[in-house]
Amino acid sequence: TQLLEQSPQFLSIQEGENLTVYCNSSSVFSSLQWYRQEPGEGPVLLVTVVTGGEVKKLKRLTFQFGDARKDSSLHITAAQPGDTGLYLCAGAKVTGGGNKLTFGTGTQLKVEL
Amino acid sequence: SAVISQKPSRDICQRGTSLTIQCQVDSQVTMMFWYRQQPGQSLTLIATANQGSEATYESGFVIDKFPISRPNLTFSTLTVSNMSPEDSSIYLCSVALTTRNEQFFGPGTRLTVL
């Protein structure tokens, strides 16, 4: 059972559009990470959010951690073809996780010219 | 961060054979992880490999099928034994470097079993 549900599962947009990806769970996490993966490569860490309500910006990407630390969102402004990839959220459990991460179901983003 | 390499990058294997995947890290790390991923889908954790102890396997994965070695703090191997077409997947190793459980991944090994 996937504990972290991402939506949408697939997203195909035009260059310049804005988009938001959601990552939802019924579990509380001590931290939540976002990764981007391109074909033929491993996931690359984009950001880690730790505090409930925290907002972090990485150029055109804005990440938010929910107040209750159960959910997160990723907003991309003025998407570019270079943003194309598989976006994965991942949560670290508060206790008993043994340094493991729970990965979300993934969002495949395609940005076209 | 860390630089992580995997060998082979891809392979095509026959049913019933075994393949050993190597993972090399450019720094000493305690915790290493092995994942399986279908293209375009999420990651499934196979096991956690800590140096000096036996690997800890997740539900649905067993040592006889996926034996893991961790001889030192910079290297690990995952063997996929007695392969069947259902084992066709991407296999990724990762390391945890920070207290926030941030993980850094190798480029993956794409395995096809005929």
Side-chain angles (χ1 to χ4, degrees), chain A residues 1-44:
Chain A
T1 303
Q2 277 287 3
L3 298 179
L4 275 168
E5 296 287 338
Q6 288 183 233
S7 62
Q9 185 178 2
F10 299 99
L11 192 56
S12 182
I13 61 173
Q14 297 296 118
E15 182 180 19
E17 292 184 26
N18 301 331
L19 67 116
T20 301
V21 177
Y22 299 94
C23 173
N24 294 300
S25 175
S26 58
S27 300
V28 177
F29 294 100
S30 62
S31 67
L32 197 136
Q33 299 158 29
W34 284 91
Y35 294 81
R36 179 171 66 211
Q37 184 180 22
E38 298 183 28
E41 300 179 10
V44 175

Side-chain angles (χ1 to χ4, degrees), chain B residues 16-114:
Chain B
T17 62
S18 298
L19 176 72
T20 295
I21 301 168
Q22 300 179 7
C23 179
Q24 180 77 52
V25 188
D26 69 341
S27 58
Q28 294 185 336
V29 295
T30 301
M31 310 204 67
M32 293 181 76
F33 304 88
W34 286 97
Y35 291 88
R36 186 167 70 183
Q37 181 185 34
Q38 295 297 324
Q41 296 186 22
S42 189
L43 279 64
T44 300
L45 181 64
I46 297 172
T48 302
N50 294 337
Q51 197 272 335
S53 62
E54 291 205 2
T56 303
Y57 290 82
E58 297 300 301
S59 176
F61 297 96
V62 295
I63 187 171
D64 289 346
K65 176 67 175 177
F66 298 99
I68 288 171
S69 78
R70 186 77 203 275
N72 57 52
L73 290 173
T74 64
F75 187 77
S76 178
T77 66
L78 169 76
T79 298
V80 186
S81 303
N82 188 25
M83 289 184 286
S84 66
E86 291 70 37
D87 295 320
S88 297
S89 192
I90 299 167
Y91 292 84
L92 294 147
C93 67
S94 75
V95 300
L97 290 180
T98 72
T99 57
R100 298 188 297 188
N101 298 329
E102 293 163 334
Q103 292 188 17
F104 299 87
F105 287 83
T109 296
R110 182 180 285 261
L111 170 63
T112 301
V113 184
L114 302 177

